[in-house]
């Protein structure tokens, strides 16, 4: 029974990682850049919900909608002023910029909110499910997190494959220059990708803080890095791969904490990244790209 409970907790945590990883994998798959500030957008979305619910007394679900809108705008600003000027720059320049943007948001949050960890109240209030005579308890946060992550994955897959903007994203991901010649607005397509990824970051932030009810300026840092590991494991650039990778990393982390060592759990997660890069660099569902010279 303990193992089943741990697996359920792992799937819950993994679903959060999956939603975050979807933001990483969309931006990389289409714009070919790693947005390491993504974890800090999660933190911003969580603070927006926290302030609206505790200070303004706004409905939690309406607060989430506002947070998604705020993070969408933030994602567009990051893309326009931090990444677009570096569109033709080296990957190292983009990486350094992403790290700089991340530290900028963390330090701004420290100045505004301070370093004190705040208590985040779950926005969900549904009955838990009890199985096996009450030995297994599935909380409402767990149920909603798993269901929401599946809905988002299916929705994104349909959006990318069935809509005109989604097909434009596929074209840009294959060849930006060719897509531009075919009439695709590359800048608008990449901006839309950042907007969607940032809106998902707000959702992930609320799911994370509702499940683990604390909030600080570094809330999104470690989950963001682990979600990146999940994206690489699943095959960065693949939407189903992000889901698979997120669930796998969540289960590995929870089982490692329970049966090996809570102090070594993070190290084990990053060891998985190293093993994946050595054995199968493209990840589970990733595609192999061939550079033409």
């Amino acid at each position: 029974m303990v193992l089943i409970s741990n697996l359920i907790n792992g799937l819950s945590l993994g679903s959060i990682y999956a939603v975050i990883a979807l933001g990483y994998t969309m931006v990389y798959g289409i714009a070919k850049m790693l947005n390491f500030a993504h974890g800090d957008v999660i933190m911003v979305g969580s603070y927006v919900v926290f302030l609206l619910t505790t200070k303004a007394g706004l409905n939690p679900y309406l607060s989430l909608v506002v947070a998604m809108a705020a993070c969408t705008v933030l994602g567009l600003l990051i893309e326009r002023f931090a990444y677009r000027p570096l569109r033709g720059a080296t990957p190292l320049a983009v990486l350094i910029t992403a790290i700089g943007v991340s530290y900028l948001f963390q330090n701004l949050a420290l100045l505004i909110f301070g370093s004190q960890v705040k208590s985040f109240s779950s926005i969900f209030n549904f009955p838990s499910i009890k199985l096996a005579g009450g030995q297994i308890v599935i909380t409402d946060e767990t149920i909603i997190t798993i269901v929401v992550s599946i809905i988002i994955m299916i929705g994104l897959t349909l959006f990318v494959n069935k809509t005109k903007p989604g097909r434009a994203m596929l074209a840009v991901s294959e060849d930006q220059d060719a897509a531009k010649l075919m009439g695709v607005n590359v800048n608008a397509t990449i901006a839309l990708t950042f907007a969607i990824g940032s809106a998902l970051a707000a959702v992930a932030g609320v799911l994370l803080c509702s499940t683990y009810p604390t909030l600080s300026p570094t809330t999104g840092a470690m989950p963001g890095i682990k979600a990146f590991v999940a994206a690489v494991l699943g095959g960065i650039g693949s939407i189903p791969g992000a889901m698979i990778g997120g669930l796998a990393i969540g289960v590995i982390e929870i089982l490692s904490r329970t049966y090996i060592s809570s102090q070594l759990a993070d190290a084990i997660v990053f060891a998985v990244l190293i093993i994946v890069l050595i054995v199968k660099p493209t990840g589970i569902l990733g595609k192999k790209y061939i550079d033409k010279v």
Side-chain angles (χ1 to χ4, degrees):
M1 294 302 175
V2 175
L3 175 61
I4 295 175
S5 296
N6 287 323
L7 288 174
I8 293 172
N9 291 333
L11 291 175
S12 176
L13 179 60
S15 296
I16 297 172
Y17 289 156
V19 175
I20 304 172
L22 285 170
Y24 275 116
T25 205
M26 284 192 67
V27 170
Y28 181 82
I30 293 163
K32 297 296 183 290
M33 60 177 61
L34 293 172
N35 178 22
F36 278 114
H38 191 64
D40 300 288
V41 179
I42 293 170
M43 175 266 296
V44 171
S46 301
Y47 268 112
V48 170
V49 173
F50 175 79
L51 291 175
L52 290 177
T53 52
T54 59
K55 305 298 182 182
L58 200 64
N59 178 276
Y61 300 106
L62 183 57
S63 298
L64 174 57
V65 174
V66 175
M68 291 176 66
C71 287
T72 298
V73 173
L74 182 60
L76 290 172
L77 291 174
I78 292 172
E79 189 278 330
R80 178 63 184 86
F81 295 105
Y83 295 136
R84 190 178 298 183
L86 300 174
R87 191 70 54 80
T90 62
L92 180 60
V94 178
L95 177 62
I96 293 172
T97 300
I99 295 173
V101 173
S102 174
Y103 280 115
L104 172 65
F105 285 134
Q106 286 185 29
N107 283 279
L108 284 176
L110 278 169
L111 289 173
I112 296 171
F113 303 108
S115 59
Q116 183 179 3
V117 177
K118 302 185 184 302
S119 178
F120 190 101
S121 298
S122 174
I123 71 169
F124 310 116
N125 188 22
F126 300 101
S128 301
I129 296 178
K130 296 182 179 180
L131 304 174
Q135 297 184 56
I136 299 174
V137 179
I138 307 176
T139 64
D140 53 345
E141 289 88 3
T142 297
I143 298 169
I144 292 172
T145 298
I146 295 173
V147 170
V148 166
S149 65
I150 293 172
I151 292 174
I152 289 175
M153 185 202 68
I154 294 173
L156 279 179
T157 303
L158 293 175
F159 174 80
V160 169
N161 292 308
K162 301 295 183 181
T163 67
K164 186 175 180 180
R167 289 193 291 269
M169 289 179 178
L170 291 176
V172 172
S173 69
E174 290 294 332
D175 191 318
Q176 291 187 17
D177 294 329
K180 190 180 296 183
L181 290 174
M182 295 301 293
V184 175
N185 189 328
V186 174
N187 286 334
T189 301
I190 293 177
L192 176 61
T193 305
F194 270 85
I196 294 173
S198 298
L200 293 180
V203 176
V206 170
L207 293 175
L208 175 66
C209 291
S210 293
T211 305
Y212 303 93
T214 57
L215 178 60
S216 71
T218 57
T219 287
M222 186 57 73
I225 294 174
K226 290 178 181 176
F228 171 68
V229 175
V232 173
L233 175 62
I236 194 161
S238 169
I239 292 175
M243 185 73 183
I244 294 172
L247 294 176
I249 291 298
V251 171
I252 290 170
E253 180 177 341
I254 294 297
L255 293 182
S256 299
R257 284 180 184 174
T258 305
Y259 297 106
I260 301 177
S261 169
S262 59
Q263 296 178 332
L264 293 177
D266 289 346
I268 292 171
V269 168
F270 294 121
V272 169
L273 173 62
I274 296 172
I275 294 170
V276 169
L277 291 176
I278 293 173
V279 177
K280 196 175 188 297
T282 57
I284 298 172
L285 299 181
K287 294 186 295 184
K288 186 175 182 181
Y289 291 95
I290 299 176
D291 290 331
K292 297 179 181 179
V293 296

